[in-house]
Amino acid sequence: MLRLAWRNLLRTPGRNLATGGVVALVVFLSLVFLSVYAGAFDAFFRLLLERTGHLVVRVESYREKEDLEALTFAPPALPLPPGTQVEGVLEGQALVIAGERSRAAVLTGLEAGGLERQRKLLKAGRLPQASGEALLGEALARALKVGLGDEVVAYAPGGMGLGIFPFRVVGLLDLPETHLEARTLVVGLGDAQALLFPGRVTRLEIRLSGIGLYDQEPLEALKARLKPHLEGLTVETWLEANPLYAALLPLYDTVMALYVGIFFLLGGLILLNALYLSLVERVREFGLLSALGLTGRRVMALVFWESLLLVGVSALVGAGLGLLLHLELLDGFRLPLPQWILEQYREFGLPEVLYGRLGVKEVLLTLGYAVGVALLAALWPGYLASRLEPVEAMRYVP
Amino acid sequence: MPIVEAKGVRKVYRGDGVETEALRGVDLRLEAGEFTALVGPSGSGKSTLLHILAGLDLPTEGEVWVGGVRLDRLSRAERARFRLEHVGLVFQAYNLLPVLTALENAAFVLELRGLSRPERERRAMAALEALGLADKAGRFPRQLSGGEQQRVAVARALAAEPLLVLADEPTANLDSKTGLALIERMQALNEERGVTFLFSTHDPRLLAHVKRIVRLEDGRLVGEEWP
Ligand SMILES: Nc1ncnc2c1ncn2[C@@H]1O[C@H](COP(=O)(O)OP(=O)(O)OP(=O)(O)O)[C@@H](O)[C@H]1O
Ligand SMILES: [Mg+2]
């Protein structure tokens, strides 16, 4: 039966080569698409993780609180596994004054590691190295008409700190969102505490090493271990801290399945057409098979075998080529998009070089679609073939 | 017990508002080892009768017994299985699968029955030899003459060792000499191995070789001869 199916395919090599080519192309494109898509997705979430840290400690129900005093806390001693980094961040409102101009801004005090992460955003100048040095959003600097080396004064009365602090602008930041850029002042944590609240932070960022990007289990485990040490405080994973983006995560699978499904739908229609044509051309032969004693079910099986063989061989070729290209993407690639789209991309803070990712899940999804399409496309022609009346079919004139 | 017994078989074709009564009450018995020709003018119902005896089609009325089984009571799939196991079929043309060699075609029914490859090829080869086609076993149908193709079809029926072989005008597409040669082969198989044949034909010269002639006219059996 398999041999018969195979020889029947070889009979119209041109058409089956074209159909197989389409199937191979669909499998190929689907794998490449998935690799690129996962790469872009990972880049986006890695960025989010980097900004947030694996775990974030803040005061309880911080989302409802506004007052700086209620939002800050003295960092408690935490039992952390070795290799874990903890950084305090103090964030508060401040008025930034330069000569006769002033602007409301968000002052962020960062430890050394946090400042280091600003390097990628640095448009001009350098990172603060000593007390009294600050980074200014480029748009804020423009609004205040200050540049590198100029002095600004941060004014934030009402806290337990000095309430006023002079800074020298040593660097300008280019942020994805301009409205944030116009409100950004980044300084060392010590300076921020002196100005706003000595000894306190608004959040602790905990970064672990050696865990996978979407690996939530070790985070949950650590969360549970920290809980008893956090009176009046709450700890969230990076995904919990970014609920809007976290909601995108389950969409990944849906979008992936949908896009690949559309590819395969087109491939499936072409396959259906080829199978249908070969049925019409061979009505007499199907009649003979039935006359010789093939039951409808076995006639249908023959059509299914032909479809599966054609798709199987083509899918293997397509998958081979797709995996080869994926190996290239694995080492990093630039999105082949026009400059203006890339511009928006960069605005968002996404890296220009992405790294392809293909998991077993993605490969299985693609091959599963291929098999599914082979079966689905064979369903109708197979049914028609199985219903042929042998006598009529053998009399059929194509 | 007869191999074939048709009792009061009627067949009415309905289609496009026209009713054609192809068979009007046919009674026919065939015993094992018969070599019978079915003759009659065009449109007399020969093909219709052969199809019904093979279980390819159902009678509108009447009973059809083959090998002790009542065919007209079987489902479509059961009739297909019955043909596979017990009936050899030879048609006027398009008997062979073009993608299979003569040997594979001759072995095809056995393959469908699930016989092992060596076993079915042994039997198919023996059948091809009996029809004088041993040297053409590896050829595809397009590389065979019309007569050779028909002999491969007979070899396929022979290899399957059926209860009976039904052939609908097996010689119609052959010149008279080749047609005669085919009938002589069939006759030899009948005499040497006892294979039961029922075939329809238009060619009166073939009738000299048969044991029995059944004459059909306008859907009725109108006479029998035992030459
Ligand atoms: N599928 C069908 N639908 C309608 N009428 C049919 C059908 N098949 C056969 N007939 C009619 O039934 C009658 C008998 O046809 P059948 O094919 O059995 O004749 P036949 O004896 O085999 O003729 P021939 O020698 O030309 O092959 C004819 O009148 C024919 O027109
Ligand atoms: Mg006929």
Side-chain angles (χ1 to χ4, degrees):
Chain A
M1 205 70 156
L2 256 177
R3 185 188 51 196
L4 182 61
W6 181 243
R7 296 222 188 130
N8 279 330
L9 286 180
L10 295 181
R11 204 153 132 187
T12 47
R15 181 167 71 221
N16 288 326
L17 215 60
T19 312
V22 170
V23 172
L25 190 68
V26 164
V27 170
F28 170 79
L29 285 178
S30 144
L31 287 179
V32 171
F33 165 79
L34 288 175
S35 176
V36 169
Y37 176 56
F41 213 82
D42 289 357
F44 176 77
F45 275 92
R46 199 167 286 123
L47 185 79
L48 195 64
L49 172 60
E50 202 174 285
R51 275 190 194 170
T52 312
H54 283 107
L55 293 176
V56 193
V57 178
R58 277 184 271 227
V59 295
E60 269 172 357
S61 41
Y62 63 91
R63 286 190 175 95
E64 282 103 64
K65 295 179 179 164
E66 279 175 18
D67 177 54
L68 186 65
E69 187 157 5
L71 280 168
T72 55
F73 60 97
L78 294 174
L80 291 171
T84 312
Q85 277 183 6
V86 188
E87 286 171 27
V89 177
L90 178 59
E91 216 171 64
Q93 309 284 334
L95 189 69
V96 188
I97 308 162
E100 291 173 355
R101 291 172 170 262
S102 66
R103 287 288 185 276
V106 176
L107 178 137
T108 308
L110 298 175
E111 289 189 45
L115 287 175
E116 188 53 41
R117 271 190 296 281
Q118 305 298 310
R119 190 180 291 282
K120 279 192 305 192
L121 305 171
L122 205 55
K123 180 80 177 287
R126 58 170 175 84
L127 296 175
Q129 283 157 357
S131 171
E133 295 183 338
L135 299 171
L136 223 56
E138 215 188 352
L140 180 57
R142 252 195 322 269
L144 292 170
K145 293 209 163 80
V146 295
L148 291 177
D150 290 345
E151 189 162 289
V152 295
V153 173
Y155 179 62
M160 302 289 282
L162 298 171
I164 188 157
F165 205 105
F167 290 105
R168 182 165 306 282
V169 179
V170 296
L172 297 178
L173 294 176
D174 182 11
L175 297 185
E177 303 98 337
T178 312
H179 67 99
L180 279 184
E181 196 181 283
R183 293 166 48 82
T184 294
L185 174 64
V186 177
V187 303
L189 179 63
D191 289 356
Q193 288 176 330
L195 171 68
L196 297 172
F197 227 124
R200 294 241 193 148
V201 296
T202 43
R203 64 173 190 268
L204 286 177
E205 297 176 357
I206 301 172
R207 289 184 168 78
L208 290 87
S209 56
I211 67 163
L213 181 52
Y214 303 106
D215 212 355
Q216 295 296 300
E217 250 169 63
L219 303 188
E220 290 297 337
L222 185 56
K223 238 173 85 175
R225 204 133 58 84
L226 294 181
K227 264 241 163 85
H229 302 268
L230 298 171
E231 207 173 319
L233 301 177
T234 175
V235 57
E236 292 174 318
T237 67
W238 61 287
L239 285 174
E240 289 164 341
N242 296 285
L244 223 63
Y245 293 136
L248 285 179
L249 212 49
L251 282 184
Y252 170 80
D253 284 346
T254 316
V255 170
M256 176 171 92
L258 217 70
Y259 262 83
V260 175
I262 291 171
F263 285 151
F264 273 98
L265 184 69
L266 297 177
L269 288 176
I270 285 167
L271 180 65
L272 174 63
N273 176 59
L275 292 176
Y276 186 77
L277 270 183
S278 92
L279 165 68
V280 171
E281 285 168 353
R282 291 191 289 144
V283 165
R284 269 203 304 239
E285 251 172 85
F286 280 111
L288 174 66
L289 290 174
S290 171
L292 289 179
L294 254 76
T295 53
R297 217 184 279 187
R298 292 179 88 177
V299 171
M300 201 155 170
L302 179 65
V303 178
F304 274 78
W305 274 124
E306 289 181 18
S307 177
L308 277 173
L309 271 180
L310 177 58
V311 169
V313 171
S314 319
L316 282 184
V317 172
L321 294 176
L323 289 175
L324 272 183
L325 185 57
H326 165 67
L327 288 182
E328 285 295 307
L329 300 178
L330 209 54
D331 297 335
F333 62 97
R334 279 162 203 283
L335 284 175
L337 296 173
Q339 203 54 41
W340 64 273
I341 295 183
L342 284 179
E343 205 65 49
Q344 311 235 313
Y345 225 78
R346 270 192 294 271
E347 284 277 287
F348 214 73
L350 284 173
E352 280 167 68
V353 177
L354 302 177
Y355 299 88
R357 168 163 70 81
L358 263 187
V360 177
K361 185 169 83 174
E362 283 81 5
V363 176
L364 284 185
L365 176 89
T366 304
L367 294 182
Y369 259 118
V371 172
V373 157
L375 296 178
L376 268 180
L379 210 55
W380 176 238
Y383 175 77
L384 289 182
S386 77
R387 299 308 303 165
L388 285 174
E389 280 300 328
V391 176
E392 278 172 42
M394 288 190 70
R395 248 205 293 257
Y396 178 82
V397 182
Chain B
M1 190 180 68
I3 278 194
V4 174
E5 187 159 24
K7 294 184 196 166
V9 167
R10 274 186 73 228
K11 177 68 181 179
V12 181
Y13 288 109
R14 293 191 178 86
D16 301 332
V18 194
E19 276 197 9
T20 314
E21 196 168 2
L23 296 176
R24 304 166 189 257
V26 171
D27 297 296
L28 178 68
R29 284 166 72 108
L30 289 182
E31 302 293 335
E34 281 197 34
F35 191 60
T36 306
L38 187 59
V39 298
S42 185
S44 56
K46 304 183 294 293
S47 295
T48 304
L49 181 59
L50 286 171
H51 292 155
I52 286 173
L53 295 181
L56 289 169
D57 210 345
L58 287 174
T60 312
E61 239 177 66
E63 295 176 18
V64 181
W65 296 81
V66 178
V69 174
R70 186 154 172 199
L71 275 192
D72 56 291
R73 287 277 168 86
L74 299 184
S75 72
R76 214 178 116 90
E78 284 166 341
R79 278 183 278 127
R81 263 176 241 124
F82 185 85
R83 283 197 297 280
L84 185 63
E85 295 296 334
H86 304 297
V87 184
L89 283 172
V90 180
F91 298 96
Q92 186 176 327
Y94 307 114
N95 268 299
L96 305 181
L97 291 166
V99 292
L100 301 184
T101 62
L103 181 65
E104 288 161 349
N105 263 295
F108 189 64
V109 169
L110 300 177
E111 185 180 348
L112 293 179
R113 284 188 198 164
L115 263 67
S116 73
R117 193 178 179 129
E119 173 67 6
R120 65 184 191 243
E121 291 196 342
R122 189 183 57 73
R123 280 170 64 173
M125 199 61 211
L128 286 177
E129 270 165 23
L131 283 136
L133 285 167
D135 55 329
K136 309 266 163 76
R139 293 208 189 171
F140 287 94
R142 63 173 181 280
Q143 300 165 318
L144 296 171
S145 73
E148 287 164 347
Q149 290 181 25
Q150 291 303 82
R151 270 147 69 198
V152 173
V154 175
R156 176 178 60 205
L158 180 69
E161 293 175 8
L163 282 174
L164 84 160
V165 178
L166 298 170
D168 193 6
E169 307 202 33
T171 63
N173 279 9
L174 307 177
D175 62 59
S176 56
K177 200 173 127 226
T178 321
L180 197 62
L182 181 71
I183 295 299
E184 279 167 356
R185 292 275 181 187
M186 286 162 56
Q187 186 185 17
L189 292 173
N190 171 262
E191 276 165 10
E192 289 157 22
R193 308 185 185 202
V195 183
T196 312
F197 280 96
L198 173 64
F199 67 96
S200 64
T201 181
H202 276 297
D203 190 344
R205 276 173 305 172
L206 302 181
L207 301 181
H209 296 264
V210 302
K211 295 177 183 165
R212 176 183 174 193
I213 301 167
V214 176
R215 200 169 292 281
L216 206 55
E217 242 168 62
D218 203 16
R220 284 194 185 84
L221 286 187
V222 292
E224 292 194 31
E225 291 163 46
W226 305 80

